Amino acid sequence: MKIVFYKSLLKGAPHLTPTERIIYSFLVSKSITYIDEVFDKDGLCLNMSDLDDILSTDEYIGLYPISFTRLSDELNISLRISFYSLKRLRDCNYIKGNSIYVNKSLIESGYFELSDDKRLKGELLIFYSYLKHKAERYGGYIDTFRYKLAEEMGSTKIAVTKLLNRLYKLSLAKRLENNKLMIL
C-alpha cells in the first residue's frame, strides 16, 4: 500500500514528532481519497480546482475512518504510539471530531512515498524516503551536501550526519569515491 508524506511537513509542524507527522500525512491522503467529488471521471487524478473549492469553504474535511489496530498495521507502529499520536493530533486541533485539517499549501507542496522497509521508523523513515525520492531523478545518486540536506529537511547538519550514519549501518546508503551518495 502506498503511504505518502507531504513535503511541506519536512519543515512544517515542528511541534509534532516525526511519527505524528507520518500519521497526519497518511490520514490526510486517505481522507482526500475518501471524497468522491475531487477525482476525475476515471477516479485516478486529483482535481485540484474541486479540492480548492472544498478547502476554500472549510479547511477541515471528513476524517478517513480507521481503527487504531489498522493504523498501527499500515504504518508499522505500535498500538500505543498510534493511540497517543492521534490524541496529540486532536490536542493540536489537526483533528476535530470526525474531521481533519487540510490546507491548500500542504497538498500543493507535493509528496513522496514512504519506504516500506520495516527497519525504518519515524525521522529515519522520512529521511530515507526523501533521499530515495530525490535520488530517483538522478539514477539513484545524489550529490547534495549535508548542510543543504539539513536545510531541505528543516534540521541541522549534525542531525543529518547522524541519520546518514544510521543509513550506512543499515546498508541503505553508500558514499562513493566521487563523493556522491548512492541510495540503495
Side-chain angles (χ1 to χ4, degrees):
M1 171 190 238
K2 182 175 164 179
I3 299 171
V4 302
F5 188 85
Y6 290 101
K7 290 179 183 178
S8 67
L9 293 175
L10 288 171
K11 290 183 181 181
H15 55 286
L16 296 179
T17 67
T19 302
E20 290 166 353
R21 286 184 279 148
I22 290 169
I23 290 172
Y24 175 64
S25 186
F26 173 78
L27 290 173
V28 166
S29 69
K30 289 297 182 186
S31 296
I32 288 172
T33 62
Y34 204 59
I35 305 171
D36 292 330
E37 311 91 56
V38 296
F39 289 93
D40 65 9
K41 61 184 174 191
D42 299 326
L44 301 173
C45 241
L46 184 62
N47 186 332
M48 279 305 291
S49 65
D50 288 347
L51 185 58
D52 284 346
D53 291 343
I54 291 169
L55 295 178
S56 67
T57 58
D58 189 7
E59 290 187 322
Y60 283 87
I61 62 172
L63 179 64
Y64 178 74
I66 189 167
S67 68
F68 293 119
T69 305
R70 184 152 176 245
L71 183 65
S72 297
D73 291 342
E74 296 279 338
L75 298 178
N76 190 32
I77 57 175
S78 73
L79 194 58
R80 185 178 68 84
I81 296 280
S82 67
F83 176 79
Y84 285 111
S85 295
L86 282 174
K87 181 184 180 318
R88 178 114 160 79
L89 289 171
R90 288 184 189 285
D91 292 344
C92 293
N93 290 323
Y94 284 97
I95 298 175
K96 286 185 181 179
N98 290 328
S99 299
I100 189 164
Y101 174 76
V102 181
N103 66 18
K104 188 174 159 182
S105 64
L106 177 75
I107 307 303
E108 289 177 340
S109 70
Y111 64 87
F112 55 89
E113 190 173 338
L114 290 177
S115 171
D116 60 356
D117 191 321
K118 301 293 184 206
R119 300 175 295 173
L120 304 174
K121 294 185 186 290
E123 188 176 19
L124 188 61
L125 172 61
I126 295 167
F127 183 69
Y128 173 71
S129 300
Y130 176 70
L131 291 180
K132 189 151 181 80
H133 170 74
K134 186 174 178 138
E136 285 173 359
R137 292 180 276 171
Y138 306 107
Y141 303 94
I142 59 173
D143 59 359
T144 307
F145 295 104
R146 286 183 178 103
Y147 77 88
K148 184 67 174 165
L149 287 173
E151 185 180 292
E152 292 171 1
M153 296 287 301
S155 187
T156 65
K157 187 178 167 185
I158 293 170
V160 167
T161 301
K162 288 179 180 180
L163 289 167
L164 284 171
N165 286 334
R166 290 173 63 193
L167 291 179
Y168 298 148
K169 286 180 184 174
L170 292 170
S171 299
L172 293 173
K174 181 179 178 183
R175 184 65 68 183
L176 303 175
E177 289 180 19
N178 62 4
N179 216 21
K180 288 189 177 189
L181 185 65
M182 180 170 56
I183 308 300
L184 307 167

